Amino acid sequence: MRNRLFAVISCLATLALGGCSKYVDIKTQGSLVPGQYQNYRYLLNNTSSFENGAYVGDLAADDIQLPDSSTQMLALNNGGDYYAYWLRSYSWQPQIYTPTGLYYQDYNWYNLYNSITYANVVITEVPNVTDATNDLKSELIAEALVHRADAYMQLVNTYAKPYIAATAATDLGVPLVLKETTTQPLVRASVQDVYNQVISDLTTALPNLPVTQIFNTLPSKPSAFGELARVYLYMNRYDSAAKYADSTLYYRSVLNDLSTLTTISSTTYPIRSKDPEVLISKIAYGGITAYTPYAFRLSDTLLSVLGTKDQRYNLFTTAAATISSTYTGRYFYKDRAMGEGRNIGPSVPEMLLIKAEYYARTGDAANAMVWVNKLRIKRFKTADYVALTATDANDALLKVIQEREREFFCRLLRWWDMRRLKSETRFQQTITRKVLGVTYTLDPNNNRYVFRISDYNIKLNPEIQQNP
Amino acid sequence: MLRLSIFIIAVQSVFCTTGFAQQKTTPQQKEAPIPLSKAIELIEKRFNTRFAFEHNLLEGKTTTAAALEGKTLPEILKNVLYPNNLLFLYVSENAYSIVARDSRFFQQGGASPAAPSLAEDVVIKQLAATHTLRGIVIDEKGAAMPFVSIWVKGTRRGSQTGERGDFTMPNLTTKDTLVFTYLGYNTESVAVNMGGTLTVQLYATNKGTLDEVTVVSNGLQQLPKERATGSFATMSSKDIAKTSSPNIVQRMEGQVPGVKINVLSGDRSFVYSSGNQLGINSGTHTVGNNDYGMSIRGTSTLLGESFPLVVVDGAITDLDISAFNPDDIENITFLKDAAAASIWGVRAANGVIVITTKKGKTSQAPAISFSMNAGVAAKPDLGYLRMMNSAQAVGYEAELVKRGFLTATNINGASYSTASYYPNFAAVLALKLQAGTITQAAYNASVDSLSKIDNTGQILQYLLKPATTQQYNLSVSGGNYNSNYYYSASYSRETPNAKRTIGERLTITLNNSWKLFKVATLTTSLKGAFFKYTNDGTGVNSLYPLTGSGVLLPYMQLVDNNGKSVSYDRINPDFTSTLSTKAFSNWQYNYIDELNNRDDIQKDNNYSANVNLNVPIYKGLSGSVQYSNEKTFSAHNVYYNPNTFYYRYTVNTYTPPTATTANGLGITSGGILSLVNTTVNNYALRGQLAYDKTIRQIHQLNVIAGSEIRQTDMAQSTESLYGYNPSTGISVPVSYTSSAYTSIYGYSTSLGGAPGQGEKIRRYLSYFSNAAYTFKGKYSLSASVRYDDYNNFGLDRKYRATPLWSAGGKWSIAQESFMQKVKWVNSLNLRATYGVNGNLSTSTYPYTAIYLNSTDPVTGLPSAGISSLANPELKWEMTYVTNIGLDYSLFNNRLSGGLDVYRKKGKDLLYSFPINPAYSGSIGGGYLTRNAATMKGNGIDLSINGVLINNKSFTWNMGLTFSYNVNTITDNRFDTSTISSTYTSVYPGSISYIAGYSTDKLLVFRNAGLDANGLTLTYDHLGNKVSATTPLVFSDLKNAGHKVAPYFGGFTNNIRYKQFTLYALMTYQFGGVFLRPSINNYITAYYTMNYSVSGDIAKRWQQSGDETKTNVPGLNGTATQVAYSLARYQNADVNVRSSDYIRLREISLNYEFPAMLVHSVFAKGASVGFSVRNLGLLWRANKDGYDPDFTSYPNGGYSLPAAKSYNFSFKLNF
């Protein structure tokens, strides 16, 4: 009997020991079990994880302007730490975020790397998914790659020098984090490496992307082509940019006709996620700007370029009184009119103007104007529309750049254009701003065309080299 | 494991072989002396007998091999023992006791429980017969005492009582005196007058002497205390019985050094004021924490579980400790250092509480025990809250209006958003006066009548009542050779001070043990704990919420002068009166109606089962298998009927202001039913081998090794039913689609309360071994090792495979021969241990934790987010513990106790450190939980027990526990350079851990009084006075000390005079500080309607010149200035007070009915008791009258200090 009991005990003991390593190999429920296709599809459906982009460039760009010591400026100044980033960016200060202040975190960096982190989770983990076909898995990865490419493109154009072929290989870019990790050293890759990575991500993604998606928040083939066109433009490779613009336009070329509109709202004008012009929806973080005290007051230079007949003036801007009775001038209003953040992702108009710039830069002024006018005809009331003409290629280029100002003001690209064009003497300018009696200037060689990486993030990872 | 058992058998056979080798003696060696202990061992082997004897009894005594040459056992024993002045006593078949000839001492240990029903006389020498005496021996409670030694004085004749306490002594003469002795009891001498029957009662000599638990349990094995190297502390059932709270936690207070219990709610024990709802997502203990603070040897973790591990009958329990009936508990062992606790591996760092429930005695006739207890406590003292009075409140509101913090917006009823900023009545009057809509005379008249009101009487009358408790307990136990049982049922009911708050608990315990096939033991323990909580009361807390509106100001009556309950506007009536009465319900709040309409019932059914099979395998080796299972079914239903404010407010706010016919949710009848259902199903299966052997009386070895698998599974579902009609069970379908409804603001909105379900399954796998070895009863060594695997630790096995271990040694100094002459030292043990304990957090995961959103707000597609990034390097926290201890028992055990000094070093502690978003984006909000922090701690545990008087009719015992514990963060990552200036300038209390500081630091501003505008001035580190809005840096702050008192303990007195026992418990703490509660906020903006009720408001600066009389800042400044100024005052050194106190927790008087009286009604024992609990503070360091355990703001305090409670108890044993 003892032997029998001993045998029972031994069996139970062996049972407890055997298969032990497998016993604890279960996953505790979060709400979804990692390893299933659905998790990653749902992750990629999470708009806010991927959509938020850079904001701070719009404050440094010359399309906004506050009168010195205006009510709005004083309010921003009195907001203490909370609005400090606004006036500091506006006056091109080296330090935007105080590491011990309440707002130590740089939300541009934070949100862009958030997209990258989410994308990296998908890219790293989807190959281990067991319940989906390779095609489905490849599509998930392709979508993630497009988001990641867009985020790196925004990062490199915020924290690194503009792309110049001669120096790109040595200019400091941003840390390239390409897989899920919490330990990789954050040494900054070169600008060239970042651009290479962006191009590689986009070209890798292209074959596996769907031609259409039901929402602009989800990457499709035209999203990737549009991103590529943008990337090559900012690398000053206009031919490639134009080719990719063509590819984009092959899939998506519809423009919104503003000629008949009197106001815009979410019922009269397509929302971002359904807007046929938007190739991939990206927004500057922080939502709608057109509220006190952080609303974008348009600069005199922009207003003079824009004119008052332009429907983009009538529909996308508003009189100061709409924001506050104590404000003056004209304010950016498109986001508030639509009740949603402003798109900063590649768009159909951007493709048209890339084509136009390509022709202007290759000396074909006539074709450049053809492409500019393809856009302009949708931007004026029929009665007000006048086709633009150019006297020569140089004039054509000037007009294309002006059209870009009109089309993209307060939507990131003006700052990027200021950065890429400052090396061309014909576009060089020195901007001055006055804040509470102090004058600030931004000359073409100013270090402040590149934002410094926040001191907080450098403190966390001292291997990150700071910008001058 | 098989390999291990083979190893153990091999080790044992080596010892056996040496033993047999000694038997082979040659004739020449026959007369050579051999140690008596060896001889006894040989006899044991030869006759398969066992001997019990006092330690060291055989020491230094010898016999010869020749003496061993006999045929019968008695013959050999006579040869061996008699020359050594030793006697042998027959105990049972094959069991004898050896005693010194002049000793009356009868060693119990080792005697087989399988004694015959009537003791055999151990006759050494027959005397002439005269007559026979029969009788019974009972203990102080009247319970029969088996195995009491009976001697005929001056002779060597002895006997023992049988299992029913009975005895028969033949051949007695009238000259004889019988002496009754029993270990741990007084010795009773009875002169024999005649034959017949005799009842003898023995009294336990009290705590601190011999009845103290002599066996300690680490939950997996039992060890004799004198061989345990670790820091174990025990509470016996007697200690537990001294107080009568239904929650065992409250009975532990002040009893055990190193164990800190802060009872934070006075009027309740298991109806927690912080709620009894289990939470599924919390990584730590969720229920009861706020009602009692509990820790063993202080803080060991920053983020992980901080509650001690609780083990009941060998199985880890996740039930709240209130589920165990204190009367069922036989003893509690606290495992404090690494040697004691590391056998529990990753769960050991916070210490372990091992609870053993009562079992039936093997030889015991059915014993029935019944007890009841009833108590009542007065209503609490609302004066303790130090609130402002009505006149002061009116003045405060008038100033808020005067200073422009409350404005015309507050009485603007144009839209819902302004209507919801509606202030309290005196402010409305002031605003109306300001607007000119009422006259100064009308204002004065209203204000005068308001100022005369004091609503505290009404609060006491309508919302509160005296707290009551009732407990009934019935147990039956008994047993025989083959089985024993302990069955109990208890019912407790308590009603705290809040009317309509009731808690009921029914516990059932069925403990059984069976001998199977004569060798194996099957033990089962089935327990049930059934709770019903009625949470309908309005506690004082909810009258003064810390945030939000709805504070009851002192002029707000619950009932008007005509006895009618008063309704209050929380939304501007100018707005609500414009709404359609068809679509909208009444918006007012009525305290009395609310109390009557509330219907909140929680029913928890807890079941647990333990089954243990123990099989002896081979000579001291045994194997056991234990399966344990715990199930909880909890249903929490809150029904908001259509008259409740919650219902009306919910339905109204989901209805657009333009509605005219029906409310937005389409509810025409019924209310809202909110359901939370929780199920817990945890199981564990353990296989264990144990080896327990004493070899040649020299080597004592106790080894266990085993493995365990364990799973915890908690599921919870939540749901709200709208328009639910309790009589039909029908509810209205509602939409949880985003923006499905239009709100009272006119915007689209989403309805909350969508059904949800979550389930968390976690698994653990453990291997463990523990060995204790004692050499010659003097030197003990112990070692333990445990390996834990947990499914949520490191994807990489290298992060899982670190075993947790401990080692310890002990020297029993008193056993040394050189100590034998030191008669006043009964025992003296020196212990030293070192080892590592683990801890884990169940809220961290090694892999990407993906959570599900309902739908994406932009696209409406199903979407998910990441709540925590994969952290494949996650591992458990390690706490290295060094412990040096000394146990002593002196002066015939009159003075005993222990001293432990320990040091803890925490490594790999989990903490959320900032992480670069380049790795983690927004996941974790810029923080990642990593095993990176370190801390250290040290402390002292001291206990002293003294028996001041000990005789038949009078005993007096005193007990003192003293504990010291402090800790320091040692991790340089917690530096001061990254602390946000908001924390250093406004909220110093929010500054988390800092290297070089303790976890319980209290950082405060250096107050410099008020400036001419009544705003707080503060000294910076240079000694300059700076304004309230000047940013401060870390060095400007002052560390005021420890929020947790580093010195604490308890002091007990137990005095018995004849049948009366008086018991008093005092607790104390020293060395800590607290921040005196003051004004929690000023209303500095029209949209924050949270009124502070602090009496300090009356002391505020109001006009120029006040700055010389007060340091309470006023309202004279911008909103920012006023708010910062108040924060600088609240958190300033001028409000720091010492938290030192001496508390008289309990005094009880117990009367034991005389045995003779009790026996006449067929009972074995009966007692009545009366106790007073919460007698208050005997001494406090602070001069303001605060009880340092109850020092939260009047708004949002957990509880008021408990009022005195008076309890009556009655116990009866059959």
Side-chain angles (χ1 to χ4, degrees), chain B residues 889-905:
Chain B
S889 185
L890 311 172
F891 309 117
N892 201 17
N893 299 320
R894 283 290 189 98
L895 183 67
S896 62
L899 170 70
D900 279 276
V901 181
Y902 60 87
R903 196 179 176 81
K904 300 199 291 187
K905 276 193 163 176

Side-chain angles (χ1 to χ4, degrees), chain A residues 17 20 23-24 26 28-29 31 42 45-47 100 102 109 113-114 118 125 180 184 215 456-457 459 461, chain B residues 683 710 759 761 763 765 767 791-792 847-848 850 856 862 864 866 914 916-917 919 922 977-978 980-982:
Chain A
L17 293 162
C20 49
Y23 178 78
V24 289
I26 64 156
T28 299
Q29 175 193 40
S31 278
Y42 286 4
N45 287 353
N46 190 337
T47 303
T100 55
L102 197 50
W109 177 279
Y113 272 110
N114 185 52
Y118 267 76
E125 296 188 10
E180 258 185 291
Q184 174 197 320
F215 293 104
Y456 177 78
N457 282 327
K459 193 174 163 62
N461 291 76
Chain B
Y683 72 81
R710 181 159 181 270
E759 183 173 15
I761 301 177
R763 282 185 176 175
L765 164 74
Y767 305 100
N791 73 302
N792 288 329
Y847 49 82
T848 316
I850 298 173
D856 184 78
I866 300 173
N916 199 310
Y919 299 117
S922 68
S977 68
T978 50
S980 160
S981 60
T982 314

Side-chain angles (χ1 to χ4, degrees), chain A residues 411-457:
Chain A
R411 275 154 288 174
L412 186 70
L413 290 188
R414 178 58 195 162
W415 176 244
W416 290 16
D417 281 351
M418 283 167 66
R419 283 161 43 88
R420 83 177 156 108
L421 297 173
K422 75 187 173 74
S423 52
E424 296 179 43
T425 23
R426 52 189 157 172
F427 292 110
Q428 279 176 350
Q429 54 173 350
T430 295
I431 317 163
T432 60
R433 279 174 174 175
K434 217 169 165 188
V435 177
L436 303 171
V438 182
T439 304
Y440 299 89
T441 51
L442 186 71
D443 56 78
N445 296 318
N446 200 307
N447 285 332
R448 297 283 67 79
Y449 270 107
V450 180
F451 282 94
R452 280 164 72 105
I453 292 162
S454 75
D455 294 339
Y456 177 78
N457 282 327

Side-chain angles (χ1 to χ4, degrees), chain A residues 1-2 5-6 8-10 12-18 20-34 39-49 51 81 99-102 104-106 109-111 113-118 120-121 125 175 177 180-186 214-215 217-218 271-273 456-461 463-464, chain B residues 1-2 5 517 519-520 613 615-618 623-625 683 685 687-689 707-711 757-765 767 789-792 795 797 800 845 847-853 856 858-866 869-871 873 914-923 925-928 930 975 977-982:
Chain A
M1 186 53 68
R2 277 187 180 189
L5 280 167
F6 180 55
V8 170
I9 305 254
S10 309
L12 283 168
T14 326
L15 199 73
L17 293 162
C20 49
S21 52
K22 277 189 188 148
Y23 178 78
V24 289
D25 279 350
I26 64 156
K27 301 277 199 297
T28 299
Q29 175 193 40
S31 278
L32 290 170
V33 183
N39 295 324
Y40 302 99
R41 179 67 266 164
Y42 286 4
L43 276 185
L44 285 162
N45 287 353
N46 190 337
T47 303
S48 64
S49 301
E51 203 179 25
D81 219 10
T100 55
L102 197 50
Y104 55 83
Q105 189 73 263
D106 175 352
W109 177 279
Y110 182 93
N111 283 301
Y113 272 110
N114 185 52
S115 305
I116 291 165
T117 307
Y118 267 76
N120 284 340
V121 166
E125 296 188 10
V177 181
E180 258 185 291
T181 173
T182 54
T183 49
Q184 174 197 320
L186 296 182
I214 49 171
F215 293 104
T217 51
L218 306 173
I271 55 168
R272 197 173 74 237
S273 60
Y456 177 78
N457 282 327
I458 294 216
K459 193 174 163 62
L460 289 175
N461 291 76
E463 70 272 22
I464 303 177
Chain B
M1 177 164 309
L2 264 175
S5 65
F517 317 115
V519 288
L613 179 66
V615 186
I617 298 168
Y618 183 78
S624 67
V625 177
Y683 72 81
L685 178 63
Q688 181 177 323
L689 288 172
S707 72
E708 182 181 68
I709 53 172
R710 181 159 181 270
Q711 173 175 302
Q757 160 81 20
E759 183 173 15
K760 304 268 184 189
I761 301 177
R762 298 185 170 92
R763 282 185 176 175
Y764 304 84
L765 164 74
Y767 305 100
D789 205 350
Y790 167 52
N791 73 302
N792 288 329
L795 293 176
R797 284 198 91 79
R800 298 172 164 187
Y845 301 95
Y847 49 82
T848 316
I850 298 173
Y851 66 89
L852 191 62
N853 291 328
D856 184 78
V858 175
T859 61
L861 294 173
S863 81
I866 300 173
L869 204 62
N871 184 2
E873 288 153 22
I915 184 170
N916 199 310
Y919 299 117
S920 62
S922 68
I923 300 159
Y927 289 85
L928 180 72
R930 280 188 278 218
D975 66 359
S977 68
T978 50
I979 298 171
S980 160
S981 60
T982 314

Side-chain angles (χ1 to χ4, degrees), chain B residues 209-347:
Chain B
T209 58
L210 292 171
D211 73 314
E212 207 181 351
V213 180
T214 51
V215 168
V216 293
S217 167
N218 63 17
L220 295 168
Q221 77 193 123
Q222 309 261 324
L223 266 180
K225 196 170 183 185
E226 73 267 10
R227 285 166 56 192
T229 62
S231 186
F232 295 86
T234 51
M235 275 181 80
S236 66
S237 56
K238 236 175 260 166
D239 301 328
I240 295 166
K242 280 173 184 161
T243 25
S244 59
S245 164
N247 192 336
I248 185 71
V249 167
Q250 301 190 344
R251 301 196 188 194
M252 296 174 185
E253 190 188 9
Q255 303 286 340
V256 184
V259 178
K260 188 170 183 102
I261 311 264
N262 279 341
V263 179
L264 301 175
S265 57
D267 58 335
R268 48 185 81 209
S269 65
F270 64 89
V271 186
Y272 297 130
S273 58
S274 48
N276 295 70
Q277 178 65 58
L278 282 171
I280 183 170
N281 290 317
S282 172
T284 54
H285 188 79
T286 51
V287 174
N289 266 1
N290 295 328
D291 284 59
Y292 58 86
M294 176 163 188
S295 64
I296 297 180
R297 289 187 166 179
T299 306
S300 304
T301 182
L302 307 177
L303 211 64
E305 173 66 82
S306 60
F307 199 76
L309 177 70
V310 180
V311 174
V312 176
D313 291 334
I316 292 174
T317 181
D318 280 334
L319 295 178
D320 181 70
I321 203 156
S322 66
F324 301 98
N325 175 14
D327 288 330
D328 283 348
I329 296 174
E330 178 64 35
N331 62 58
I332 305 174
T333 308
F334 297 85
L335 316 183
K336 299 194 288 189
D337 69 347
S342 68
I343 191 67
W344 289 104
V346 298
R347 303 290 306 275

